[in-house]
Amino acid sequence: MELRLYDTLSREKRTFVPLDAKEVRMYVCGPTVYDFAHIGNARPVIVFDVLFRLLRHLYGEAHVKYVRNITDVDDKINDRAARDFPGLPLNEAIRKVTEQTGRQFHADVDALGALRPSVEPRATEHIGEMREIIERLVAGGFAYAAEDHVLFSPQAMNAANSGLPRYGALSNRSLDEMVAGARVDVAPYKKGNTDFVLWKPSKPGEPSWPSPAGITAQGRPGWHVECSAMAWKHLGEHFDIHGGGIDLVFPHHENEVAQTCCAFHRERMANYWMHNGFLQVESEKMSKSLGNFVTIHELLADWPGEVLRLNMLKTHYRSPIDWTMKSLEESAKTLDDWYRVAADVVPGKPAPSVVEPLLDDLNTPLAIAALHGLRGSDVGALAGSLRLLGFLSESAAQWEGRKQQASGVDAKEVERLISERTAARARKDFAESDRIRDLLAAMGVAIKDSKEGTTWEVAR
RNA sequence: GGCCACGUGGCGGAGUGGUUACGCGCCGGUCUGCAAAACCGUUUACUCGGGUUCGAGUCCCGACGUGGCCUCCA
């Protein structure tokens, strides 16, 4: 069976045919490292990790190249640096912010069971490529310098009309309407009100680099051109898959396409544009003002990363998802069960009943339903399938031990109470045995009696 | 205002014309000193109004509701 993926540009599911089966190439927009990543940021990380794993399964581990960038030059970073480290020179403070945040991001996504991408380029290490693209755009008449800025003109792009995509095609907008509907307060140096920034001057003390397009003042890149440059450097002018959150379709991805296609005179940048849907928290939009801003870091204090991962994959990646505590509890329960029955068995090959839904535009909910089916029929295939999806990274004992550790329960004390209870039961002193059971329950310990004896675990 | 998603049983969530989704919960049973856990079994649905069709949750039109983008928020 073949892989089919939904492409935002053509607005249909299409059979996936890689440009080069020896090197399948995927780019996903990564974080801007200025603060803890929130649970919404985790969605593309997890979704495209599943796709990465699936592609490796299909084409071989050595034949998939996954690039996810780190944006480490940005206004928000500058603001954060100035606020958090007022005593330091700005550039030093910025380095602290990006290093700390980058480290935290890696810790978070590792815990979510996401494989590291093949390459994680940093924007600040690709300024040369950005300047190159900008120079090409200026030379081609698609961009111009004005007051130390370089601006891209979508109108020039659509006027060229020769082997280029139409600006607006990806986000399904007409440039004319955008011109008409644009805000009034357009910067005076812009020729057209839809022109966007490729390069801008740096304020004193901010990170800065020599400017392109004959500008003498030092400057820094705009956001959109960073991704064009990093994708070009690591994947070439034309590659297979470009992914990100649906909110990035416009303007970010629309502008990326414009920059890359105009710089290299191409009709396409990526053959498949994939976008994950939005996430709400307890039926509300996540925002700092509502106070429901949930970071991955905070959630990881209460839940194993795989619980967050499963919770995310229970919904199809293009559908909206409502992130709730109830749903997390359910996911935790499911994983407890899978760990119990499958973590320590020899994994078999991933089952077709699991792989086939994945081949149909990453239908993870249907794949998960198939896992429930395997649970009763073939635990070897269950184990293999779970591993394909990035689960079962530890043993059953480690899984249980982690819960125990997080709860702070004293295992020795529990064992002592259980043997007391066993003795009480043996002499039919049920009042005493029930008292001990209640005591353990109050400690957060759940008892399980069976013919082989009594076991226990930390109740969640 | 423009563009675009989504609306399935108590809850989550698949299903692009025709047989049980699946999971959690509830309920019943087995087990148990009683429970819990485990195992077995069972129940409930397709926002509303039209239309197409032998047949629609599934296609078309409309309404209502929710959400997203149109400001460098995934």
Side-chain angles (χ1 to χ4, degrees), chain A residues 57 67 235 393:
Chain A
H57 177 71
V67 178
L235 298 176
S393 60

Side-chain angles (χ1 to χ4, degrees), chain A residues 141-142 153-162 164-167 175:
Chain A
F142 300 106
S153 167
Q155 283 168 302
M157 173 181 174
N158 280 4
N161 193 25
S162 59
L164 295 173
R166 177 179 63 79
Y167 186 86
L175 189 53

Side-chain angles (χ1 to χ4, degrees), chain A residues 300-333:
Chain A
L300 286 172
D302 295 331
W303 309 92
E306 287 187 21
V307 169
L308 308 186
R309 184 180 181 89
L310 176 62
N311 202 240
M312 200 68 86
L313 296 177
K314 282 200 303 196
T315 304
H316 183 86
Y317 77 92
R318 284 192 281 120
S319 299
I321 182 170
D322 190 18
W323 190 266
T324 65
M325 204 51 77
K326 185 168 186 247
S327 182
L328 276 170
E329 280 161 10
E330 206 178 287
S331 299
K333 191 176 290 191

Side-chain angles (χ1 to χ4, degrees), chain A residues 22 52 91 145 211 251 351 401 412 452:
Chain A
K22 294 281 178 215
F52 183 36
N91 278 307
S211 298
K412 276 211 157 117
E452 288 78 39

Side-chain angles (χ1 to χ4, degrees), chain A residues 135-158:
Chain A
E135 296 288 9
R136 282 167 175 260
L137 291 173
V138 172
F142 300 106
Y144 59 93
E147 295 188 21
D148 294 343
H149 291 70
V150 183
L151 295 142
F152 184 94
S153 167
Q155 283 168 302
M157 173 181 174
N158 280 4

Side-chain angles (χ1 to χ4, degrees), chain A residues 29-344:
Chain A
C29 291
T32 298
V33 283
Y34 70 102
D35 201 352
F36 285 106
H38 58 67
I39 188 61
N41 300 115
R43 194 166 190 191
V45 168
I46 293 169
V47 164
F48 291 105
D49 180 66
V50 170
L51 181 55
F52 183 36
R53 289 170 185 269
L54 181 64
L55 290 169
R56 282 156 53 105
H57 177 71
L58 296 172
Y59 295 95
E61 290 190 7
H63 301 301
V64 183
K65 189 170 184 183
Y66 172 25
V67 178
R68 185 180 62 208
N69 71 289
I70 290 176
T71 294
D72 58 354
V73 47
D74 183 271
D75 286 333
K76 290 192 292 280
I77 296 172
N78 298 348
D79 295 346
R80 174 58 61 114
R83 197 179 79 201
D84 287 0
F85 303 98
L88 289 180
L90 186 58
N91 278 307
E92 218 171 293
I94 285 169
R95 195 172 343 109
K96 271 198 185 297
V97 168
T98 58
E99 277 175 9
Q100 268 178 15
T101 314
R103 228 182 355 258
Q104 184 60 55
F105 178 74
H106 278 139
D108 287 348
V109 300
D110 287 352
L112 294 173
L115 299 171
R116 291 288 178 96
S118 318
V119 187
E120 284 195 283
R122 289 175 168 268
T124 50
E125 290 163 4
H126 296 75
I127 304 291
E129 285 80 5
M130 295 177 206
R131 294 178 38 164
E132 167 76 25
I133 287 174
I134 292 170
E135 296 288 9
R136 282 167 175 260
L137 291 173
V138 172
F142 300 106
Y144 59 93
E147 295 188 21
D148 294 343
H149 291 70
V150 183
L151 295 142
F152 184 94
S153 167
Q155 283 168 302
M157 173 181 174
N158 280 4
N161 193 25
S162 59
L164 295 173
R166 177 179 63 79
Y167 186 86
L170 181 67
S171 57
N172 195 30
R173 278 153 222 261
S174 113
L175 189 53
D176 291 343
E177 282 169 13
M178 288 161 60
V179 171
R183 298 286 194 280
V184 228
D185 53 335
V186 176
Y189 48 79
K190 287 191 182 180
K191 288 183 186 169
N193 55 11
T194 56
D195 297 353
F196 62 87
V197 170
L198 297 171
W199 190 268
K200 55 187 165 185
S202 297
K203 297 190 190 84
E206 281 182 350
S208 66
W209 294 267
S211 298
I215 295 168
T216 50
Q218 298 248 104
R220 60 199 170 105
W223 178 41
H224 310 304
V225 78
E226 296 176 9
C227 283
S228 282
M230 289 184 268
W232 172 43
K233 169 76 181 291
H234 297 284
L235 298 176
E237 298 171 10
H238 185 202
F239 50 94
D240 296 300
I241 299 168
H242 191 126
I246 195 165
D247 58 317
L248 293 182
V249 174
F250 190 88
H252 185 54
H253 290 164
E254 191 72 61
N255 291 353
E256 265 186 65
V257 176
Q259 293 155 355
T260 297
C261 290
C262 290
F264 304 112
H265 299 286
R266 287 207 165 258
E267 224 154 336
R268 306 190 69 102
M269 178 183 186
N271 278 349
Y272 301 83
W273 285 86
M274 296 180 65
H275 295 97
N276 61 271
F278 232 67
L279 175 148
Q280 288 185 286
V281 171
E282 306 286 353
S283 303
E284 283 187 314
K285 178 173 176 158
M286 182 166 52
S287 72
K288 288 191 171 155
S289 57
L290 281 171
N292 61 351
F293 205 83
V294 187
T295 65
I296 302 171
H297 184 68
E298 287 164 349
L299 285 168
L300 286 172
D302 295 331
W303 309 92
E306 287 187 21
V307 169
L308 308 186
R309 184 180 181 89
L310 176 62
N311 202 240
M312 200 68 86
L313 296 177
K314 282 200 303 196
T315 304
H316 183 86
Y317 77 92
R318 284 192 281 120
S319 299
I321 182 170
D322 190 18
W323 190 266
T324 65
M325 204 51 77
K326 185 168 186 247
S327 182
L328 276 170
E329 280 161 10
E330 206 178 287
S331 299
K333 191 176 290 191
T334 303
L335 270 169
D336 281 346
D337 180 59
W338 283 343
Y339 262 95
R340 194 164 52 81
V341 302
D344 296 341

